[in-house]
Amino acid sequence: MWEMAKAHCRLPVVLGSGVDDKNIAEFFPNADGFIIGSHFKREGKWQNEVDARRVEKLVNAARRLRDGVEGA
């Protein structure tokens, strides 16, 4: 459905809920941005502290996709 939103809309498409370092490649081509919440938290639980390793993994995955690096 998000592919249709991007194809038929001139507004930015920002995706949230469930995006992580393992599936961002699926969504990356059709999104202008992402809302990341609990995935960045320790154990993926919203009430926990931010886990810097989770942030780093997702940011690195997004950078590889942005830069067109193989295996992203």
Side-chain angles (χ1 to χ4, degrees), residues 3-56:
E3 297 99 337
M4 288 176 48
K6 183 69 175 171
H8 294 92
C9 181
R10 288 184 275 165
L11 297 171
V13 174
V14 180
L15 303 177
S17 188
V19 177
D20 61 31
D21 58 292
K22 294 171 188 64
N23 67 14
I24 193 170
E26 176 184 348
F27 303 111
F28 194 85
N30 294 299
D32 296 299
F34 299 95
I35 299 168
I36 311 296
S38 59
H39 175 72
F40 283 158
K41 300 298 189 101
R42 190 172 30 90
E43 299 176 10
K45 296 180 180 173
W46 68 266
Q47 67 273 26
N48 289 344
E49 304 262 334
V50 171
D51 183 335
R53 290 172 292 161
R54 285 175 167 250
V55 174
E56 184 177 7

